[in-house]
Amino acid sequence: MTDWMRALLVVDPDQRDWEDLEQRAAVSRALRLGRDVAAFEARWPETEAQEAPAPAFTWAQLERQLADLAGCPVKAEMARDLVSATRKMSRFKPPEMVLREILCMTWALLDEGFQPPQEGSAEMP
């Protein structure tokens, strides 16, 4: 890590400049993402392509299918948000890491034990 990055991460408790704090938070998130990608690549090193690649699909197709599988309108909305977040971060991650995230979000959306609160109902404990 470079010195200027370390300097950005040192937070002065008396610091009141929100823009500077936001920059520090952004650098911290970027460093965490870099560590996550490095850990993933260490655990799952890229192999030589000896197989045909999986069929391609669009983010809109993924969103549509997850929303359909979700089973309720609240989870369908969650699917849209989850796909959007995954899409935005996908350019910084290896393809297999994105695949893993898609599988995890699918698992979460299909988990019958997880029922998010309906709009207008009391929050879950």
Side-chain angles (χ1 to χ4, degrees), residues 1 4 19 23 31 61 79 101 103-104:
M1 183 183 329
W4 70 268
E19 184 176 308
Q23 289 174 344
L31 291 171
Q61 290 169 327
E101 289 187 11
L103 294 171
C104 289

Side-chain angles (χ1 to χ4, degrees), residues 57 86 94-105:
F57 54 87
T86 303
E96 189 175 0
M97 190 174 188
V98 176
L99 171 62
R100 186 178 181 101
E101 289 187 11
I102 291 169
L103 294 171
C104 289
M105 84 173 92

Side-chain angles (χ1 to χ4, degrees), residues 70 72-80 108-112 114-116:
C72 74
V74 175
K75 284 186 176 182
E77 275 302 312
M78 284 179 60
R80 289 177 184 87
L109 290 169
L110 295 177
D111 180 3
E112 292 178 4
F114 171 62
Q115 293 301 321

Side-chain angles (χ1 to χ4, degrees), residues 34-52:
R35 287 191 301 268
D36 290 348
V37 168
F40 183 89
E41 289 176 332
R43 182 171 181 195
W44 306 101
E46 191 169 330
T47 58
E48 292 184 33
Q50 297 175 353
E51 299 178 52

